[in-house]
PDB file of all heavy atoms in Angstrom:
ATOM      1  N   ALA A   9      -0.900   2.734 -22.088  1.00 96.00           N
ATOM      2  CA  ALA A   9      -1.522   3.965 -21.586  1.00 96.00           C
ATOM      3  C   ALA A   9      -2.857   4.258 -22.279  1.00 96.00           C
ATOM      4  O   ALA A   9      -3.787   4.776 -21.656  1.00 96.00           O
ATOM      5  CB  ALA A   9      -0.567   5.136 -21.774  1.00 96.00           C
ATOM      6  N   ALA A  10      -2.945   3.907 -23.570  1.00 97.00           N
ATOM      7  CA  ALA A  10      -4.185   4.167 -24.314  1.00 97.00           C
ATOM      8  C   ALA A  10      -5.336   3.324 -23.757  1.00 97.00           C
ATOM      9  O   ALA A  10      -6.477   3.795 -23.638  1.00 97.00           O
ATOM     10  CB  ALA A  10      -3.978   3.864 -25.798  1.00 97.00           C
ATOM     11  N   GLN A  11      -5.036   2.080 -23.392  1.00 96.00           N
ATOM     12  CA  GLN A  11      -6.063   1.213 -22.792  1.00 96.00           C
ATOM     13  C   GLN A  11      -6.520   1.765 -21.444  1.00 96.00           C
ATOM     14  O   GLN A  11      -7.714   1.782 -21.134  1.00 96.00           O
ATOM     15  CB  GLN A  11      -5.506  -0.208 -22.589  1.00 96.00           C
ATOM     16  CG  GLN A  11      -5.531  -1.067 -23.844  1.00 96.00           C
ATOM     17  CD  GLN A  11      -5.168  -2.517 -23.529  1.00 96.00           C
ATOM     18  OE1 GLN A  11      -4.367  -2.790 -22.640  1.00 96.00           O
ATOM     19  NE2 GLN A  11      -5.758  -3.446 -24.264  1.00 96.00           N
ATOM     20  N   ALA A  12      -5.559   2.224 -20.650  1.00 97.00           N
ATOM     21  CA  ALA A  12      -5.889   2.787 -19.333  1.00 97.00           C
ATOM     22  C   ALA A  12      -6.747   4.038 -19.498  1.00 97.00           C
ATOM     23  O   ALA A  12      -7.724   4.239 -18.767  1.00 97.00           O
ATOM     24  CB  ALA A  12      -4.613   3.119 -18.566  1.00 97.00           C
ATOM     25  N   HIS A  13      -6.394   4.861 -20.475  1.00 97.00           N
ATOM     26  CA  HIS A  13      -7.154   6.084 -20.728  1.00 97.00           C
ATOM     27  C   HIS A  13      -8.584   5.745 -21.150  1.00 97.00           C
ATOM     28  O   HIS A  13      -9.552   6.366 -20.681  1.00 97.00           O
ATOM     29  CB  HIS A  13      -6.467   6.917 -21.823  1.00 97.00           C
ATOM     30  CG  HIS A  13      -7.157   8.217 -22.098  1.00 97.00           C
ATOM     31  ND1 HIS A  13      -8.144   8.343 -23.049  1.00 97.00           N
ATOM     32  CD2 HIS A  13      -7.018   9.427 -21.509  1.00 97.00           C
ATOM     33  CE1 HIS A  13      -8.574   9.592 -23.058  1.00 97.00           C
ATOM     34  NE2 HIS A  13      -7.913  10.273 -22.145  1.00 97.00           N
ATOM     35  N   ARG A  14      -8.717   4.754 -22.016  1.00 97.00           N
ATOM     36  CA  ARG A  14     -10.040   4.330 -22.481  1.00 97.00           C
ATOM     37  C   ARG A  14     -10.883   3.793 -21.313  1.00 97.00           C
ATOM     38  O   ARG A  14     -12.060   4.126 -21.173  1.00 97.00           O
ATOM     39  CB  ARG A  14      -9.880   3.241 -23.555  1.00 97.00           C
ATOM     40  CG  ARG A  14     -11.176   2.716 -24.164  1.00 97.00           C
ATOM     41  CD  ARG A  14     -11.785   3.708 -25.101  1.00 97.00           C
ATOM     42  NE  ARG A  14     -13.023   3.196 -25.696  1.00 97.00           N
ATOM     43  CZ  ARG A  14     -13.953   3.986 -26.224  1.00 97.00           C
ATOM     44  NH1 ARG A  14     -13.779   5.308 -26.234  1.00 97.00           N
ATOM     45  NH2 ARG A  14     -15.044   3.482 -26.749  1.00 97.00           N
ATOM     46  N   ALA A  15     -10.254   2.995 -20.462  1.00 97.00           N
ATOM     47  CA  ALA A  15     -10.957   2.445 -19.299  1.00 97.00           C
ATOM     48  C   ALA A  15     -11.391   3.569 -18.359  1.00 97.00           C
ATOM     49  O   ALA A  15     -12.502   3.554 -17.813  1.00 97.00           O
ATOM     50  CB  ALA A  15     -10.062   1.455 -18.559  1.00 97.00           C
ATOM     51  N   GLY A  16     -10.518   4.559 -18.186  1.00 96.00           N
ATOM     52  CA  GLY A  16     -10.873   5.703 -17.346  1.00 96.00           C
ATOM     53  C   GLY A  16     -12.020   6.504 -17.929  1.00 96.00           C
ATOM     54  O   GLY A  16     -12.938   6.935 -17.217  1.00 96.00           O
ATOM     55  N   LEU A  17     -11.981   6.680 -19.245  1.00 97.00           N
ATOM     56  CA  LEU A  17     -13.024   7.446 -19.939  1.00 97.00           C
ATOM     57  C   LEU A  17     -14.404   6.796 -19.775  1.00 97.00           C
ATOM     58  O   LEU A  17     -15.410   7.472 -19.587  1.00 97.00           O
ATOM     59  CB  LEU A  17     -12.660   7.532 -21.426  1.00 97.00           C
ATOM     60  CG  LEU A  17     -13.527   8.437 -22.312  1.00 97.00           C
ATOM     61  CD1 LEU A  17     -13.289   9.895 -21.976  1.00 97.00           C
ATOM     62  CD2 LEU A  17     -13.220   8.176 -23.780  1.00 97.00           C
ATOM     63  N   LEU A  18     -14.418   5.452 -19.824  1.00 97.00           N
ATOM     64  CA  LEU A  18     -15.693   4.719 -19.753  1.00 97.00           C
ATOM     65  C   LEU A  18     -16.088   4.344 -18.322  1.00 97.00           C
ATOM     66  O   LEU A  18     -17.167   3.795 -18.104  1.00 97.00           O
ATOM     67  CB  LEU A  18     -15.588   3.425 -20.576  1.00 97.00           C
ATOM     68  CG  LEU A  18     -15.328   3.582 -22.076  1.00 97.00           C
ATOM     69  CD1 LEU A  18     -15.105   2.212 -22.716  1.00 97.00           C
ATOM     70  CD2 LEU A  18     -16.479   4.304 -22.773  1.00 97.00           C
ATOM     71  N   SER A  19     -15.209   4.656 -17.351  1.00 96.00           N
ATOM     72  CA  SER A  19     -15.355   4.079 -16.003  1.00 96.00           C
ATOM     73  C   SER A  19     -16.690   4.367 -15.318  1.00 96.00           C
ATOM     74  O   SER A  19     -17.174   3.549 -14.554  1.00 96.00           O
ATOM     75  CB  SER A  19     -14.202   4.525 -15.109  1.00 96.00           C
ATOM     76  OG  SER A  19     -14.212   5.930 -14.953  1.00 96.00           O
ATOM     77  N   LYS A  20     -17.285   5.523 -15.572  1.00 96.00           N
ATOM     78  CA  LYS A  20     -18.527   5.876 -14.855  1.00 96.00           C
ATOM     79  C   LYS A  20     -19.779   5.852 -15.744  1.00 96.00           C
ATOM     80  O   LYS A  20     -20.862   6.238 -15.307  1.00 96.00           O
ATOM     81  CB  LYS A  20     -18.394   7.268 -14.211  1.00 96.00           C
ATOM     82  CG  LYS A  20     -17.173   7.453 -13.321  1.00 96.00           C
ATOM     83  CD  LYS A  20     -17.156   6.499 -12.144  1.00 96.00           C
ATOM     84  CE  LYS A  20     -15.901   6.683 -11.307  1.00 96.00           C
ATOM     85  NZ  LYS A  20     -15.747   5.635 -10.287  1.00 96.00           N
ATOM     86  N   THR A  21     -19.616   5.400 -16.986  1.00 96.00           N
ATOM     87  CA  THR A  21     -20.758   5.479 -17.914  1.00 96.00           C
ATOM     88  C   THR A  21     -21.947   4.613 -17.486  1.00 96.00           C
ATOM     89  O   THR A  21     -23.093   4.971 -17.729  1.00 96.00           O
ATOM     90  CB  THR A  21     -20.330   5.072 -19.347  1.00 96.00           C
ATOM     91  OG1 THR A  21     -19.611   3.836 -19.272  1.00 96.00           O
ATOM     92  CG2 THR A  21     -19.436   6.116 -19.965  1.00 96.00           C
ATOM     93  N   ASP A  22     -21.670   3.484 -16.818  1.00 96.00           N
ATOM     94  CA  ASP A  22     -22.802   2.619 -16.445  1.00 96.00           C
ATOM     95  C   ASP A  22     -23.673   3.244 -15.341  1.00 96.00           C
ATOM     96  O   ASP A  22     -24.796   2.799 -15.096  1.00 96.00           O
ATOM     97  CB  ASP A  22     -22.328   1.215 -16.032  1.00 96.00           C
ATOM     98  CG  ASP A  22     -21.532   1.198 -14.739  1.00 96.00           C
ATOM     99  OD1 ASP A  22     -21.003   2.262 -14.350  1.00 96.00           O
ATOM    100  OD2 ASP A  22     -21.424   0.120 -14.119  1.00 96.00           O
ATOM    101  N   LEU A  23     -23.168   4.297 -14.699  1.00 97.00           N
ATOM    102  CA  LEU A  23     -23.966   4.976 -13.674  1.00 97.00           C
ATOM    103  C   LEU A  23     -25.188   5.665 -14.298  1.00 97.00           C
ATOM    104  O   LEU A  23     -26.150   5.981 -13.605  1.00 97.00           O
ATOM    105  CB  LEU A  23     -23.121   6.017 -12.921  1.00 97.00           C
ATOM    106  CG  LEU A  23     -21.871   5.516 -12.195  1.00 97.00           C
ATOM    107  CD1 LEU A  23     -21.203   6.654 -11.413  1.00 97.00           C
ATOM    108  CD2 LEU A  23     -22.196   4.361 -11.249  1.00 97.00           C
ATOM    109  N   MET A  24     -25.133   5.885 -15.614  1.00 96.00           N
ATOM    110  CA  MET A  24     -26.256   6.532 -16.323  1.00 96.00           C
ATOM    111  C   MET A  24     -27.337   5.537 -16.732  1.00 96.00           C
ATOM    112  O   MET A  24     -28.384   5.920 -17.235  1.00 96.00           O
ATOM    113  CB  MET A  24     -25.738   7.253 -17.585  1.00 96.00           C
ATOM    114  CG  MET A  24     -24.696   8.326 -17.302  1.00 96.00           C
ATOM    115  SD  MET A  24     -25.323   9.627 -16.230  1.00 96.00           S
ATOM    116  CE  MET A  24     -26.506  10.412 -17.330  1.00 96.00           C
ATOM    117  N   ALA A  43     -19.554  -2.882 -21.684  1.00 97.00           N
ATOM    118  CA  ALA A  43     -18.340  -2.694 -22.486  1.00 97.00           C
ATOM    119  C   ALA A  43     -18.080  -3.919 -23.361  1.00 97.00           C
ATOM    120  O   ALA A  43     -17.741  -3.796 -24.544  1.00 97.00           O
ATOM    121  CB  ALA A  43     -17.148  -2.441 -21.571  1.00 97.00           C
ATOM    122  N   GLU A  48     -15.634  -3.624 -26.550  1.00 97.00           N
ATOM    123  CA  GLU A  48     -14.383  -3.179 -25.912  1.00 97.00           C
ATOM    124  C   GLU A  48     -13.534  -4.417 -25.567  1.00 97.00           C
ATOM    125  O   GLU A  48     -14.065  -5.519 -25.421  1.00 97.00           O
ATOM    126  CB  GLU A  48     -14.676  -2.392 -24.627  1.00 97.00           C
ATOM    127  CG  GLU A  48     -15.476  -1.126 -24.830  1.00 97.00           C
ATOM    128  CD  GLU A  48     -14.727  -0.014 -25.574  1.00 97.00           C
ATOM    129  OE1 GLU A  48     -13.471  -0.071 -25.615  1.00 97.00           O
ATOM    130  OE2 GLU A  48     -15.388   0.881 -26.113  1.00 97.00           O
ATOM    131  N   ILE A  52     -10.070  -3.818 -20.862  1.00 97.00           N
ATOM    132  CA  ILE A  52     -10.801  -2.582 -20.531  1.00 97.00           C
ATOM    133  C   ILE A  52     -12.094  -2.919 -19.794  1.00 97.00           C
ATOM    134  O   ILE A  52     -12.430  -2.304 -18.774  1.00 97.00           O
ATOM    135  CB  ILE A  52     -11.087  -1.761 -21.812  1.00 97.00           C
ATOM    136  CG1 ILE A  52      -9.769  -1.172 -22.336  1.00 97.00           C
ATOM    137  CG2 ILE A  52     -12.101  -0.651 -21.534  1.00 97.00           C
ATOM    138  CD1 ILE A  52      -9.863  -0.495 -23.694  1.00 97.00           C
ATOM    139  N   ALA A  55     -11.387  -3.804 -16.265  1.00 97.00           N
ATOM    140  CA  ALA A  55     -10.969  -2.624 -15.496  1.00 97.00           C
ATOM    141  C   ALA A  55     -12.171  -1.830 -15.001  1.00 97.00           C
ATOM    142  O   ALA A  55     -12.128  -1.228 -13.922  1.00 97.00           O
ATOM    143  CB  ALA A  55     -10.063  -1.737 -16.344  1.00 97.00           C
ATOM    144  N   LEU A  56     -13.258  -1.844 -15.770  1.00 97.00           N
ATOM    145  CA  LEU A  56     -14.463  -1.106 -15.368  1.00 97.00           C
ATOM    146  C   LEU A  56     -15.072  -1.714 -14.103  1.00 97.00           C
ATOM    147  O   LEU A  56     -15.618  -0.997 -13.265  1.00 97.00           O
ATOM    148  CB  LEU A  56     -15.507  -1.080 -16.501  1.00 97.00           C
ATOM    149  CG  LEU A  56     -15.059  -0.471 -17.830  1.00 97.00           C
ATOM    150  CD1 LEU A  56     -16.244  -0.290 -18.766  1.00 97.00           C
ATOM    151  CD2 LEU A  56     -14.357   0.870 -17.617  1.00 97.00           C
ATOM    152  N   GLN A  59     -12.371  -1.119 -10.948  1.00 96.00           N
ATOM    153  CA  GLN A  59     -12.114   0.234 -10.424  1.00 96.00           C
ATOM    154  C   GLN A  59     -12.607   0.402  -8.988  1.00 96.00           C
ATOM    155  O   GLN A  59     -12.064   1.203  -8.225  1.00 96.00           O
ATOM    156  CB  GLN A  59     -12.785   1.284 -11.311  1.00 96.00           C
ATOM    157  CG  GLN A  59     -14.306   1.178 -11.290  1.00 96.00           C
ATOM    158  CD  GLN A  59     -14.993   2.236 -12.110  1.00 96.00           C
ATOM    159  OE1 GLN A  59     -14.798   3.419 -11.879  1.00 96.00           O
ATOM    160  NE2 GLN A  59     -15.801   1.808 -13.076  1.00 96.00           N
ATOM    161  N   ILE A  74      -4.002  -2.656 -15.568  1.00 97.00           N
ATOM    162  CA  ILE A  74      -4.857  -1.580 -16.099  1.00 97.00           C
ATOM    163  C   ILE A  74      -5.978  -1.295 -15.096  1.00 97.00           C
ATOM    164  O   ILE A  74      -6.292  -0.138 -14.797  1.00 97.00           O
ATOM    165  CB  ILE A  74      -5.453  -1.955 -17.483  1.00 97.00           C
ATOM    166  CG1 ILE A  74      -4.350  -2.107 -18.538  1.00 97.00           C
ATOM    167  CG2 ILE A  74      -6.485  -0.916 -17.933  1.00 97.00           C
ATOM    168  CD1 ILE A  74      -3.637  -0.845 -18.932  1.00 97.00           C
ATOM    169  N   ALA A  77      -4.534   0.593 -12.234  1.00 97.00           N
ATOM    170  CA  ALA A  77      -4.308   2.004 -12.584  1.00 97.00           C
ATOM    171  C   ALA A  77      -5.595   2.808 -12.447  1.00 97.00           C
ATOM    172  O   ALA A  77      -5.600   3.910 -11.888  1.00 97.00           O
ATOM    173  CB  ALA A  77      -3.756   2.111 -14.007  1.00 97.00           C
ATOM    174  N   VAL A  78      -6.707   2.254 -12.948  1.00 97.00           N
ATOM    175  CA  VAL A  78      -7.986   2.963 -12.870  1.00 97.00           C
ATOM    176  C   VAL A  78      -8.457   3.054 -11.413  1.00 97.00           C
ATOM    177  O   VAL A  78      -8.914   4.111 -10.958  1.00 97.00           O
ATOM    178  CB  VAL A  78      -9.066   2.277 -13.747  1.00 97.00           C
ATOM    179  CG1 VAL A  78     -10.395   3.020 -13.645  1.00 97.00           C
ATOM    180  CG2 VAL A  78      -8.618   2.223 -15.205  1.00 97.00           C
ATOM    181  N   SER A  81      -6.247   5.592  -9.534  1.00 97.00           N
ATOM    182  CA  SER A  81      -6.574   6.952 -10.008  1.00 97.00           C
ATOM    183  C   SER A  81      -7.867   7.447  -9.380  1.00 97.00           C
ATOM    184  O   SER A  81      -7.946   8.572  -8.875  1.00 97.00           O
ATOM    185  CB  SER A  81      -6.754   6.969 -11.531  1.00 97.00           C
ATOM    186  OG  SER A  81      -5.615   6.514 -12.177  1.00 97.00           O
ATOM    187  N   ASP A  82      -8.884   6.594  -9.421  1.00 97.00           N
ATOM    188  CA  ASP A  82     -10.198   6.952  -8.901  1.00 97.00           C
ATOM    189  C   ASP A  82     -10.117   7.289  -7.411  1.00 97.00           C
ATOM    190  O   ASP A  82     -10.671   8.288  -6.945  1.00 97.00           O
ATOM    191  CB  ASP A  82     -11.165   5.784  -9.144  1.00 97.00           C
ATOM    192  CG  ASP A  82     -12.605   6.148  -8.813  1.00 97.00           C
ATOM    193  OD1 ASP A  82     -12.987   7.316  -9.042  1.00 97.00           O
ATOM    194  OD2 ASP A  82     -13.345   5.275  -8.333  1.00 97.00           O
TER     195      ASP A  82
END
Side-chain angles (χ1 to χ4, degrees):
Q11 279 189 327
H13 182 269
R14 181 74 179 159
L17 187 70
L18 298 174
S19 62
K20 307 299 178 189
T21 49
D22 67 339
L23 301 184
M24 301 300 291
E48 298 291 340
I52 290 172
L56 302 190
Q59 65 178 303
I74 296 292
V78 180
S81 302
D82 188 35

